[in-house]
Amino acid sequence: DSLGRVNKVELIPLETLGRPRVDVVVSCSGVFRDLFINQMNLMDRGIKMAAEADEPLDQNFVRKHAIEQAEEMKISIREAACRVFSNSAGSYSANVGLAIENGGWEDEGQLQEQFLTRKGFAFNADKPGMMEQQADLFKAALKTVDVTFQNLDSSEISITDVSHYYDSDPTKVVQGLRDDKKKPMSLMADTTTANAQVRTLSETVRLDARTKLLNPKFYEGMLSTGYEGVREIQKRLRNTMGWSATAGEVDNFVFEDANDVFINDAEMQQRLLDTNPNAFRDMVTTFLEANGRGYWETSEENIERLQELYAEVEDRIEGV
């Protein structure tokens, strides 16, 4: 328009595009939903245009999947072409991070159902301003996903600084919905520098662990701040386990090396305990939980030491 704002979309012809149309499912945060509602509606319009285009199905996977989903769900192709989802109005996050942070979850199935329920509200350009719960459509769209993708755009906030990133990760959700139960490829774009890179999620988790959690410069820096620093180290360990729960992309060595650094080193163990016994207890709990949930394989000796240590720390906190 006259102000330079994009207010309509047009379908690029296949001849100009030079490749098949790729079907993409967008799961956006509650903040993006609030800030970019117009852009989300434009995306929805464009996706519906692609779904309704009279084109060969092997060149238009948006249409191919929408037709299949429309037949299965007994709805129109336009309705089946919903691909932009978020939380309901006024709601934020899948609360998967909250469940993992407080340990209040039974199994991964609970986390996945929580994600689908809370993030399954569809944008609909035909009904502007309305967010309708379309969990079944969300599931149908995710069933066809081959690759999951997130963007890391801050060098100050990494994927284990906060729970937001794994809270939004649908990797195991997609795996559970796919007919073949195959886990999709998980990619993470690092746009924190001018030379943007796309890595696998497992590579990104390894890089993050080596530069933060397992990096002496990081944890010594945290410890120099005292009480809060120990809590930050524990929070990062807990968020690392979050990636195990939602994506299964944390290598065993990350937990094993963290155990060597923070538990097996008697001097370090005492520093953590003296500085913040509550956070240290939570750290021991996280190691035990990671093992109990099958995310970390280690020796019986390590587990017995952690169990004994938990009892000792608990007694100290309670003043026994």
Side-chain angles (χ1 to χ4, degrees):
D1 60 15
S2 60
L3 297 177
R5 297 175 301 190
V6 176
N7 57 19
K8 73 173 188 176
V9 291
E10 295 178 355
L11 204 62
I12 299 173
L14 280 173
E15 296 77 18
T16 305
L17 189 62
R19 59 165 175 80
R21 300 192 195 281
V22 179
D23 194 4
V24 177
V25 184
V26 179
S27 176
C28 72
S29 70
V31 174
F32 272 41
R33 174 206 59 211
D34 294 344
L35 295 177
F36 304 117
I37 184 75
N38 293 331
Q39 287 84 347
M40 299 302 167
N41 280 325
L42 285 172
M43 290 175 64
D44 182 64
R45 276 190 228 167
I47 292 165
K48 286 180 166 63
M49 289 171 64
E52 294 177 330
D54 185 12
E55 295 173 343
L57 298 186
D58 64 347
Q59 293 297 304
N60 185 338
F61 289 96
V62 181
R63 179 170 176 78
K64 179 179 185 293
H65 294 153
I67 289 174
E68 293 170 352
Q69 289 151 8
E71 292 175 352
E72 181 182 343
M73 302 179 71
K74 304 295 187 289
I75 56 177
S76 69
I77 292 176
R78 190 171 183 82
E79 289 175 307
C82 285
R83 291 293 185 272
V84 187
F85 298 87
S86 185
N87 297 83
S88 63
S91 174
Y92 299 85
S93 88
N95 279 352
V96 168
L98 184 62
I100 289 175
E101 285 168 14
N102 62 32
W105 53 291
E106 292 294 327
D107 54 31
E108 291 176 0
Q110 177 187 333
L111 300 178
Q112 292 161 20
E113 189 58 37
Q114 194 169 303
F115 178 91
L116 292 165
T117 301
R118 289 185 59 85
K119 303 295 286 187
F121 289 78
F123 286 90
N124 190 341
D126 298 332
K127 299 177 181 178
M130 294 181 62
M131 294 285 294
E132 296 181 328
Q133 186 168 34
Q134 297 283 4
D136 289 340
L137 266 176
F138 191 32
K139 292 177 183 178
L142 289 174
K143 278 181 70 173
T144 65
V145 168
D146 294 316
V147 178
T148 66
F149 176 87
Q150 284 197 67
N151 185 51
L152 183 63
D153 59 6
S154 171
S155 57
E156 296 181 357
I157 303 176
S158 76
I159 61 170
T160 57
D161 276 309
V162 293
S163 61
H164 164 77
Y165 288 107
Y166 71 77
D167 183 274
S168 304
D169 181 74
T171 302
K172 285 189 176 179
V173 174
V174 170
Q175 181 182 16
L177 291 171
R178 285 178 59 109
D179 292 333
D180 60 6
K181 302 304 177 186
K182 180 182 177 182
K183 188 162 74 171
M185 177 184 292
S186 300
L187 300 177
M188 182 77 71
D190 182 351
T191 58
T192 57
T193 66
N195 298 317
Q197 297 185 58
V198 177
R199 301 184 180 93
T200 65
L201 178 56
S202 61
E203 288 174 325
T204 306
V205 173
R206 284 197 295 272
L207 180 62
D208 186 83
R210 285 171 172 147
T211 55
K212 298 288 183 70
L213 181 65
L214 303 176
N215 184 351
K217 289 186 177 180
F218 169 78
Y219 59 74
E220 288 295 346
M222 287 293 101
L223 285 169
S224 70
T225 67
Y227 186 91
E228 182 63 16
V230 180
R231 195 185 72 83
E232 283 295 318
I233 296 171
Q234 150 55 18
K235 183 180 73 173
R236 188 172 297 278
L237 179 65
R238 172 64 60 166
N239 287 339
T240 298
M241 192 187 73
W243 283 110
S244 294
T246 62
E249 296 290 348
V250 182
D251 291 322
N252 199 70
F253 85 83
V254 174
F255 292 111
E256 194 71 18
D257 286 4
N259 182 71
D260 287 341
V261 170
F262 301 113
I263 303 298
N264 288 347
D265 184 326
E267 182 180 348
M268 173 64 75
Q269 181 190 123
Q270 194 62 45
R271 289 172 66 193
L272 295 168
L273 178 59
D274 291 342
T275 306
N276 187 335
N278 288 287
F280 183 61
R281 176 183 58 184
D282 292 343
M283 182 181 293
V284 174
T285 301
T286 301
F287 279 118
L288 289 170
E289 185 176 349
N291 174 259
R293 293 189 186 276
Y295 303 143
W296 173 38
E297 293 182 9
T298 191
S299 66
E300 285 297 323
E301 180 184 355
N302 277 339
I303 298 304
E304 288 173 6
R305 182 186 297 112
L306 285 164
Q307 291 170 340
E308 293 170 358
L309 189 56
Y310 180 87
E312 291 172 10
V313 178
E314 185 75 8
D315 287 347
R316 172 165 172 170
I317 291 173
E318 296 297 330
V320 176

